[in-house]
């Protein structure tokens, strides 16, 4: 009787539900990867080379041509008659290359660019997997200013986000408290907040670059300005909506305004404030990628743009994947914080 | 004539009525509360009971009139006046114990952590809360348990005046009875002065030394002060058998049913608009000091209404 098993043993059903959702997730993943693999599949092209008969080999060897040179020219797809011509020159491969290659000597050879184009430039999941593994196993290498491990590049981005975000929190939360507790300040500052809030954070970039001058500080400023608004408005809303009863409890216990703010209003408004902080960190992580594409230099956003310019799509996709994972971790950290301060009335 | 411990003098509260005029909720409300006395105030909705309580607590300002406690004018909230709100007003992010500790710490900032905690636990035990329950958050407690925590928090602070704003209004009848018994028990042990708002006539009779009756609003006032001439300690089952019980109860029912309407807007005619003191039934020797009573020649007659001054 399947009906009975459905309705008996809730815990078991939830475990089954977890397992079912996990299985479905994997099915979707493998289906996606499979389709991706198919569409980016490039059939192994036949080795473009000339097959020399034993007699032809003998002829060339008898003209004092090194065996490995014969093999090399054959692999380049050069016909026997032309190799014979090269052999007639009596020059080693090194000397020919120093002279500018066989083309410079008037011997026609198949052009590399005329080789059949591969089916797709877009990397297959396999290629990305290889690149991802390389990144995971060696995330912190430094091989030059434009070639650093993604661990380091994510670190740069994270540092900018943390600095800009912390500054924003240091301004937004006290200011939000003030606005939330004082109707006068709320009314006075509301128009500014309403106008400044919808401005795209990147629109501040030119102003920042002009006034601050430094591109590093400018991207931090952009993070600051984009993290500010959700924290500010949520803190103000949370503080303004603390139940009057709880404030009265503080008043009847003769708590001063500072003590009331910390022992009653802060814990009461904490869930709303943390929600604002969670929205802010999400926006900051979105914006840092765009900001780094704009200012360049370091950071995971710059990496994406740099790999695109170098047409290393496999590395670019790995970088994009890392951005997603990092964003998820940041959000999860705030979700945990949110649960820690939550309360039910 | 000495002033009572708490003296409410000609309290008037007006609000804008939304149409450009003013609405006078109550006018010249005057009464006193003696030290150690348990006073209940009864009246219909809209007569301003809760406003009077908020003024006593210092949470609201009257339009005119003063409240004096111990000879000093009340201005702003104080730890000397503890409040138990109808909706418990526990801080939901703190456990029951922490809620009481919150109050005790505010009252005795120089006490050690252990002393504060022991004190809080002692008062929680007095209202029948101990063990695991005191570590639960208010959301995990029943309504009755929450109100017990709230009462423990108020009593633990030893306020000079305890204000209860319909503390049992949201509870079912059985729970209400149990907590009333606990309240009486704690009150008996502490000699606490209590002022309580209630809608429940039987609750008021069971708990109070004196019941203040308010006329209907607007222009409400405290019209009568009914002494509850029932011996203490009272028990829920025997108190109803006392001959005075129904005399008092009938008087209260008649007042709330008819006279609160008829008397609305009239002054008592007494000095300072003091309420008429009503004493019903046979009164035995009372241990409590008699408030503002001038010599009354007929005060011992059965079913007699004696008018003060």
């Amino acid at each position: 009787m399947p009906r009975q098993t459905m309705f008996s043993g809730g815990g078991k059903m939830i475990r089954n539900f977890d397992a079912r959702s996990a299985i479905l997730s994997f099915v979707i993943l493998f289906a996606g990867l499979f389709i991706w693999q198919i569409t980016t599949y490039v059939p192994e092209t036949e080795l473009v080379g000339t097959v020399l008969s034993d007699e032809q080999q003998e002829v060339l060897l008898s003209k004092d041509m090194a065996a490995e040179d014969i093999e090399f020219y054959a692999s380049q797809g050069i016909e026997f008659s032309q190799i014979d011509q090269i052999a007639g020159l009596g020059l080693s491969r090194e000397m020919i290359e120093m002279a500018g290659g066989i083309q410079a000597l008037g011997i026609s050879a198949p052009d590399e660019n005329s080789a059949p184009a591969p089916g797709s430039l877009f990397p297959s999941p396999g290629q990305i997997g290889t690149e991802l593994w390389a990144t995971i196993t060696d995330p912190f290498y430094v091989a030059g200013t434009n070639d650093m491990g993604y661990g380091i590049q994510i670190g740069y981005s994270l540092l900018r986000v943390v600095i800009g975000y912390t500054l924003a929190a240091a301004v937004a939360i006290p200011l939000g408290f003030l606005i939330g507790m004082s109707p006068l300040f709320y009314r006075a500052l509301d128009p500014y907040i309403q106008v400044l809030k919808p401005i795209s954070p990147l629109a501040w970039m030119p102003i920042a670059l002009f006034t601050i001058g430094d591109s590093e500080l400018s991207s931090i400023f952009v993070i600051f300005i984009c993290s500010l608004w959700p924290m500010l408005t949520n803190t103000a809303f949370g503080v303004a909506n603390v139940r009057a009863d709880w404030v009265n409890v503080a008043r009847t216990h003769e708590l001063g305004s500072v003590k009331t703010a910390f022992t009653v209003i802060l814990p009461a408004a904490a869930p709303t404030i943390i929600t604002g902080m969670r929205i802010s960190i999400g926006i900051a992580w979105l914006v840092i990628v765009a900001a780094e594409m704009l200012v360049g230099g370091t950071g995971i956003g710059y990496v994406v743009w740099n790999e695109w310019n170098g047409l290393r799509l496999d590395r670019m996709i790995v970088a994009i994947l890392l951005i997603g994972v990092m964003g998820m971790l940041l959000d999860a950290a705030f979700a945990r914080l949110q649960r820690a301060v939550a309360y039910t009335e | 004539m000495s002033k009572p411990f708490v003296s409410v003098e000609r309290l008037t509260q007006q609000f804008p009525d939304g149409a450009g005029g003013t609405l006078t909720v109550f006018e010249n409300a005057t009464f006193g509360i003696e030290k150690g006395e348990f006073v209940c105030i009864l009246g219909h909705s809209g007569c301003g009971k809760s406003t009077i309580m908020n003024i006593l607590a210092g949470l609201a300002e009257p339009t005119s009139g003063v409240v004096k406690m111990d000879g000093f004018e009340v201005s702003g909230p104080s730890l000397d006046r503890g409040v138990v709100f109808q909706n418990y007003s526990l801080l939901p992010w703190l456990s029951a114990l922490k809620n009481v500790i919150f109050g005790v710490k505010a009252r005795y900032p120089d006490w050690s952590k252990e002393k504060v905690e022991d004190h809080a636990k002692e008062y929680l035990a007095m209202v029948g809360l101990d063990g695991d329950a005191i570590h639960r958050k208010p959301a995990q407690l029943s309504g009755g348990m929450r109100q017990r925590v709230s009462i423990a928090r108020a009593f633990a602070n030893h306020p000079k005046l305890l204000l209860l704003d319909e503390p049992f209004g949201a509870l079912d009848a059985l729970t209400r009875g149990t907590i009333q018994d606990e309240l009486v028990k704690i009150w008996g042990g502490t000699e606490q002065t209590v002022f309580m708002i209630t809608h429940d006539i039987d609750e008021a009779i069971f708990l109070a030394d004196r019941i203040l009756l308010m006329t209907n609003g607007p222009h409400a006032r405290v019209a009568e002060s009914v002494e509850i001439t029932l011996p203490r300690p009272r028990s829920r089952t025997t108190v109803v058998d006392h001959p005075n019980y129904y005399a008092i109860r009938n008087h209260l029912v008649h007042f709330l049913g008819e006279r609160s309407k008829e008397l609305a807007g009239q002054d008592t005619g007494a000095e300072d608009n003091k309420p008429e003191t009503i004493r019903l039934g046979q009164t035995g020797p009372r241990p409590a000091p008699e408030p503002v009573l001038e010599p009354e020649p007929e005060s011992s007659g059965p079913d007699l209404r004696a008018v003060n001054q």
Side-chain angles (χ1 to χ4, degrees):
Chain A
M1 280 184 286
R3 256 184 78 95
Q4 255 186 345
T5 50
M6 270 278 286
F7 290 96
S8 62
K12 199 174 176 188
M13 218 190 91
I14 289 187
R15 262 202 301 284
N16 285 345
F17 182 76
D18 283 352
R20 285 195 340 240
S21 61
I23 289 168
L24 187 59
S25 275
F26 277 112
V27 168
I28 292 168
L29 176 70
F30 287 125
L33 288 178
F34 180 72
I35 293 166
W36 187 353
Q37 181 74 51
I38 298 263
T39 49
T40 55
Y41 175 69
V42 183
E44 282 285 324
T45 41
E46 290 279 317
L47 189 68
V48 276
T50 313
V51 182
L52 298 174
S53 66
D54 287 350
E55 296 104 76
Q56 287 170 330
Q57 291 255 9
E58 289 293 318
V59 172
L60 292 171
L61 286 168
S62 67
K63 288 190 176 175
D64 281 342
M65 194 176 218
E68 52 194 83
D69 283 5
I70 298 169
E71 204 178 315
F72 173 76
Y73 290 124
S75 74
Q76 295 292 299
I78 300 167
E79 298 293 318
F80 169 72
S81 56
Q82 270 117 17
I83 303 175
D84 194 38
Q85 270 184 296
I86 299 165
L89 294 168
L91 296 169
S92 74
R93 189 149 69 88
E94 277 170 15
M95 291 173 80
I96 290 171
E97 263 162 28
M98 273 199 295
I102 48 172
Q103 281 92 348
L105 298 170
I107 295 160
S108 67
D111 190 352
E112 270 181 69
N113 292 335
S114 70
S120 166
L121 268 178
F122 201 81
S124 67
Q127 284 169 287
I128 289 162
T130 317
E131 208 49 62
L132 187 62
W133 180 248
T135 303
I136 292 167
T137 47
D138 187 15
F140 300 113
Y141 74 89
V142 179
T145 46
N146 261 353
D147 190 8
M148 286 186 262
Y150 289 173
I152 293 177
Q153 301 286 24
I154 286 251
Y156 275 116
S157 303
L158 210 53
L159 188 69
R160 288 182 190 123
V161 166
V162 167
I163 296 172
Y165 181 83
T166 310
L167 289 174
V171 172
I173 293 170
L175 193 62
F177 252 81
L178 183 70
I179 295 172
M181 289 174 96
S182 151
L184 177 74
F185 272 95
Y186 181 83
R187 286 287 281 273
L189 294 178
D190 192 49
Y192 299 109
I193 295 171
Q194 295 309 329
V195 169
L196 295 176
K197 197 169 65 161
I199 297 174
S200 163
L202 291 178
W204 292 95
M205 191 57 106
I207 299 173
L209 285 170
F210 184 79
T211 51
I212 304 172
D214 184 67
S215 68
E216 187 69 32
L217 290 178
S218 296
S219 42
I220 289 173
F221 173 76
V222 167
I223 295 302
F224 167 82
I225 207 86
C226 78
S227 314
L228 193 68
W229 310 114
M231 281 197 267
L232 184 64
T233 48
N234 264 50
T235 305
F237 178 80
V239 168
N241 287 287
V242 171
R243 277 185 34 192
D245 296 330
W246 302 335
V247 179
N248 279 344
V249 168
R251 289 180 68 198
T252 53
H253 286 85
E254 285 186 44
L255 299 188
S257 32
V258 176
K259 205 140 188 229
T260 304
F262 278 102
T263 57
V264 176
I265 294 174
L266 185 62
T272 325
I273 296 174
I274 302 290
T275 303
M277 293 178 82
R278 191 174 170 187
I279 296 168
S280 277
I281 198 78
I283 292 175
W285 193 244
L286 291 179
V287 167
I288 192 66
V289 173
E292 284 169 348
M293 282 182 175
L294 212 57
V295 297
T298 48
I300 199 72
Y302 167 70
V303 163
V304 171
W305 203 247
N306 197 34
E307 301 294 6
W308 159 241
N309 282 336
L311 269 182
R312 285 301 301 273
L313 293 184
D314 49 350
R315 288 175 65 81
M316 187 188 83
I317 289 167
V318 168
I320 289 172
L321 210 58
L322 289 179
I323 292 171
V325 171
M326 199 63 228
M328 184 187 75
L329 291 178
L330 287 173
D331 189 64
F334 276 89
R336 183 167 280 228
L337 197 59
Q338 218 170 10
R339 277 198 298 278
V341 299
Y343 58 83
T344 38
E345 280 180 35
Chain B
M1 190 182 73
S2 67
K3 286 246 181 205
F5 174 62
V6 177
S7 155
V8 175
E9 295 165 17
R10 295 195 162 272
L11 219 52
T12 301
Q13 182 73 56
Q14 291 171 326
F15 293 116
D17 64 0
T22 54
L23 175 76
T24 306
V25 185
F26 51 84
E27 208 168 25
N28 294 328
T30 302
F31 59 91
I33 305 168
E34 292 301 326
K35 209 172 179 88
E37 200 177 18
F38 198 126
V39 175
C40 281
I41 190 160
L42 271 174
H44 287 280
S45 303
C47 69
K49 298 185 302 286
S50 285
T51 312
I52 288 182
M53 163 131 312
N54 282 339
I55 292 167
L56 281 172
L59 293 170
E61 290 270 325
T63 309
S64 68
V66 288
V67 175
K68 286 181 186 164
M69 186 167 89
D70 246 353
F72 294 99
E73 200 172 312
V74 163
S75 66
S78 153
L79 281 161
D80 285 338
R81 278 162 277 122
V83 190
V84 173
F85 299 93
Q86 181 180 6
N87 50 16
Y88 326 126
S89 287
L90 298 173
L91 304 176
W93 55 90
L94 297 178
S95 68
L97 177 63
K98 293 251 172 70
N99 262 289
V100 181
I101 286 177
F102 174 89
V104 178
K105 257 199 332 215
R107 179 75 186 188
Y108 304 105
D110 45 348
W111 277 13
S112 72
K113 224 179 149 189
E114 295 75 37
K115 193 170 179 190
V116 168
E117 193 174 320
D118 290 345
H119 187 76
K121 279 184 176 160
E122 184 191 330
Y123 275 83
L124 279 166
M126 270 189 216
V127 291
L129 286 174
D130 46 21
D132 277 349
I134 63 170
H135 298 294
R136 281 194 228 145
K137 301 266 171 75
Q140 299 161 313
L141 298 171
S142 66
M145 282 164 119
R146 282 184 226 178
Q147 195 56 290
R148 284 187 172 104
V149 177
S150 187
I151 289 169
R153 181 174 67 186
F155 271 94
N157 273 9
H158 305 130
K160 289 182 182 165
L161 172 64
L162 184 61
L163 302 162
L164 306 173
D165 186 358
E166 286 190 51
F168 311 121
L171 303 179
D172 64 275
L174 283 174
T175 316
R176 192 185 297 192
T178 322
I179 305 185
Q180 281 167 4
D181 288 338
E182 275 160 7
L183 180 64
V184 168
K185 211 170 66 198
I186 305 181
W187 175 73
T190 54
E191 303 273 301
Q192 183 73 57
T193 312
V194 182
F195 180 75
M196 174 168 145
I197 294 182
T198 179
H199 272 128
D200 185 332
I201 291 177
D202 292 301
E203 177 176 285
I205 298 173
F206 179 63
L207 293 172
D209 291 318
R210 205 148 54 83
I211 297 175
L212 299 171
L213 294 171
M214 285 188 85
T215 61
N216 290 1
H219 299 278
R221 62 190 175 84
V222 181
E224 289 185 2
S225 162
V226 180
E227 290 186 15
I228 307 304
T229 48
L230 295 169
R232 286 190 191 269
R234 297 171 192 162
S235 121
R236 190 169 304 285
T237 44
T238 55
V239 79
V240 292
D241 297 329
H242 195 279
N244 290 353
Y245 185 85
Y246 279 97
I248 295 169
R249 195 176 192 282
N250 290 344
H251 180 82
L252 296 177
V253 169
H254 280 297
F255 181 92
L256 291 175
E258 299 153 16
R259 298 187 38 245
S260 65
K261 221 176 299 163
E262 294 160 14
L263 289 171
Q266 295 175 22
D267 275 3
T268 55
E271 178 212 338
D272 286 338
N273 206 27
K274 277 205 174 102
E276 211 178 336
T277 300
I278 312 291
R279 177 181 282 183
L280 299 165
Q282 199 74 47
T283 59
R286 277 173 55 99
E290 208 58 37
V292 291
L293 266 181
E294 302 294 334
E296 283 173 295
E298 297 165 307
S299 65
S300 55
D303 289 315
L304 197 72
R305 291 175 53 202
V307 180
N308 184 29
Q309 287 146 354

